[in-house]
Amino acid sequence: MKHEVVIVGGGPTGMMLAGELTLAGVDVAIVERRASPDLVGSRAGGLHARTIEVLDQRGIADRFLAQGKVMQVNGFAHVPLDISDFPTRHNYGLALWQKHFERILAGWIEELAIPVYRGCEVTGFAQDDTGVDVELSNSQPLRAQYLVGCDGGRSVVRKTAGIEFPGWDPTISHLLAEVELAEEPEWGMRNDAVGLRGLSKLDDVGLVRVLVTEEQPGRTDEPTLGDLSEELIRVYGTDYGVHSPVWITRFTDAARQAAAYRERRILLAGDAAHVHYPAGGQGLNLGVQDAVNLGWKLAQVVKGTSPECLLDTYQAERQPIGARVLRNTLAQVALLRQDERSKAAWEVVSEFLKMDEPRKRYAAMMCSLDIHYDIRYDLGDRHPLLGRRMPDLDLVTANVPLRLFTLLHNARPVLLNLGEPGGFDITPWAYRVQLIDAAYAGPWELPAIGTVTAPTAVLVRPDGYVAWVGDLTQMGLTDALTTWFGPPTAA
């Protein structure tokens, strides 16, 4: 079987990437070891504002909003960070278990008719100058131009490609489980001398979500019901008659990042590229945004629209974002330790984060609304919008109201002209870039930055980030179009 791109791993990152590639007209398939799309266990528990925006850019955000609970989910080291005053249409988070997120996303990729090879694993691969031969556990070989590992922290793709995974070893370890209890437990979360622990009721009838800190970190074997029982007894003095586990997992504060996100025709995204403590609920969101950054770039290279060097911008832009998440989770773990020095540091930081300016900056960081890619052209002074997310403006085009995000539903770039209609000629890119003449009378505001000068024109990438800001002189526009969307076509 041949495909232009094969994705290993059908979790949130893999499915989002498959959707992005399909919208761009690429033949893509997913290899997923799980035989069923149903995810066992609730897993991660929320979406941040920028991820909701990304889903809105593709016209599917309402599917998730309809089944989750809109609320303020932002926080740093258990200090709540309210974003209800942020200039975004989605100034909130969404409480939605990962199993539901994956189910809804699976419905989307089914609509897009993306093939999924279930119940098999990648056992090896070999790449050459034109593609990658992929070996599967069911003996059915696959051939692809590019192979993308979205197969988690223990990524077979990363290991087989020989990509190093440096970082920090674990200092704490937790067991997380969904079980039934024979006795009424001590409900609620605690963080004390024995570590973080808690028991809470799940939506499912009779199921309890259990979190305990293990006495010794560093175990790598699969946790059992016996392990969970022992830790409950150590922490609570009883295991409450724990039985019928649906799901038990172990996670730690290990923090690692791939030394490279690309090895020729092999790419990494999501947990395959970075693992960290789940402080702030950033992991799933980080992976989905990796996928949206990579998808359109990989599609243009596969289709021959852009040179292969465009893929280098994926690592250049996303690796620093991943590194930042690793650093802030390391900091949060340090603040949440229960020794007196850590408690004192947490008290100072919590007071600091209650101030308006620090709150805005840290909240924007935690929900990825402050991302600023380093996009440079010889334009003199750089406009604050360049390299940042494009706001979802309420535009008027030909006397018809239109939200900007609706222009991104098909994952195509947009040159938005807010000056004199007909002032731009991008004929050599006409089949790749939408040229929209529009009017907008409101303020231009960015989270954590504030109000910025209204531009005359902006070039918006398929991932919603601004690639060029200018005016009718079009200075630098040709360079920007060529850099991001390939050389001009012949007349």
Side-chain angles (χ1 to χ4, degrees), residues 164-167 255-259 261 273-275 318-323 326:
E164 295 183 358
F165 203 42
R256 298 187 178 278
Q257 186 174 32
Y261 281 24
H274 37 69
V275 295
R318 293 306 297 173
Q319 197 172 47
I321 302 302
L326 262 65

Side-chain angles (χ1 to χ4, degrees), residues 299-311:
Q300 289 182 183
V301 172
V302 166
K303 299 181 82 64
T305 303
S306 294
E308 196 173 346
C309 62
L310 180 62
L311 293 177

Side-chain angles (χ1 to χ4, degrees), residues 24 27 77 82 122 183 219 272 294 296 315 369 423 477:
D27 172 22
D82 193 318
V122 170
E183 305 167 15
R219 289 181 59 176
L294 174 59
W296 64 275
Q315 174 170 316
L369 288 173
L477 179 58

Side-chain angles (χ1 to χ4, degrees), residues 80-389:
L81 299 172
D82 193 318
I83 64 167
S84 59
D85 59 347
F86 274 27
T88 167
R89 205 175 296 272
H90 303 290
N91 53 0
Y92 47 76
L94 185 70
L96 181 71
W97 292 119
Q98 182 177 336
K99 66 178 182 180
H100 300 309
F101 179 82
E102 289 199 18
R103 173 177 49 79
I104 299 167
L105 203 58
W108 182 51
I109 69 167
E110 185 177 355
E111 291 172 13
L112 295 174
I114 298 170
V116 182
Y117 299 98
R118 292 199 173 276
C120 58
E121 301 182 51
V122 170
T123 57
F125 56 81
Q127 58 176 319
D128 53 42
D129 291 340
T130 60
V132 186
D133 290 310
V134 185
E135 301 169 8
L136 300 183
S137 57
N138 65 0
S139 301
Q140 179 184 19
L142 293 176
R143 174 75 176 176
Q145 291 184 38
Y146 288 89
L147 179 68
V148 186
C150 300
D151 51 339
R154 300 175 183 177
S155 172
V156 171
V157 174
R158 185 190 67 241
K159 293 174 182 176
T160 305
I163 298 174
E164 295 183 358
F165 203 42
W168 293 267
D169 292 331
T171 64
I172 55 175
S173 178
H174 301 291
L175 293 181
L176 180 64
E178 293 174 12
V179 297
E180 294 182 31
L181 301 179
E183 305 167 15
E184 187 79 6
E186 176 186 331
W187 299 111
M189 296 296 298
R190 306 285 187 276
N191 190 21
D192 52 29
V194 296
L196 187 63
R197 57 194 169 98
L199 299 105
S200 55
K201 295 180 181 179
L202 286 173
D203 295 336
D204 307 82
V205 177
L207 279 183
V208 176
R209 188 175 176 92
V210 178
L211 172 67
V212 291
T213 301
E214 294 188 281
E215 189 171 19
Q216 296 294 331
R219 289 181 59 176
T220 58
D221 56 321
E222 290 297 321
T224 66
L225 183 62
D227 296 331
L228 182 63
S229 174
E230 288 178 12
E231 292 298 335
L232 282 168
I233 292 171
R234 183 181 67 83
V235 172
Y236 291 100
T238 174
D239 67 1
Y240 298 109
V242 63
H243 65 96
S244 305
V246 172
W247 171 63
I248 305 175
T249 191
R250 173 180 286 115
F251 68 93
T252 74
D253 65 335
R256 298 187 178 278
Q257 186 174 32
Y261 281 24
R262 177 185 171 214
E263 166 53 35
R264 293 188 294 159
R265 292 182 174 272
I266 311 300
L267 296 119
L268 304 174
D271 289 353
H274 37 69
V275 295
H276 52 85
Y277 193 69
Q282 300 168 91
L284 183 153
N285 296 273
L286 184 61
V288 168
Q289 291 172 48
D290 282 349
V292 174
N293 184 283
L294 174 59
W296 64 275
K297 297 173 181 178
L298 182 55
Q300 289 182 183
V301 172
V302 166
K303 299 181 82 64
T305 303
S306 294
E308 196 173 346
C309 62
L310 180 62
L311 293 177
D312 295 335
T313 68
Y314 167 59
Q315 174 170 316
E317 292 183 342
R318 293 306 297 173
Q319 197 172 47
I321 302 302
R324 184 174 73 165
V325 171
L326 262 65
R327 287 194 300 271
N328 81 52
T329 55
L330 287 171
Q332 291 181 74
V333 169
L335 288 169
L336 292 172
R337 297 190 192 282
Q338 289 301 299
D339 60 275
E340 292 305 315
R341 288 179 173 82
S342 297
K343 288 181 180 178
W346 181 88
E347 290 173 0
V348 170
V349 170
S350 64
E351 287 300 316
F352 170 75
L353 292 177
K354 291 173 184 176
M355 302 175 187
D356 204 44
E357 187 65 20
R359 170 188 64 86
K360 289 181 178 179
R361 291 197 174 272
Y362 272 73
M365 175 188 71
M366 294 299 291
C367 63
S368 299
L369 288 173
D370 72 334
I371 288 175
H372 189 190
Y373 295 137
D374 188 19
I375 297 175
R376 296 180 180 274
Y377 302 105
D378 187 14
L379 300 174
D381 293 336
R382 298 180 71 205
H383 194 283
L385 271 172
L386 189 62
R388 297 186 186 274
R389 54 174 277 287

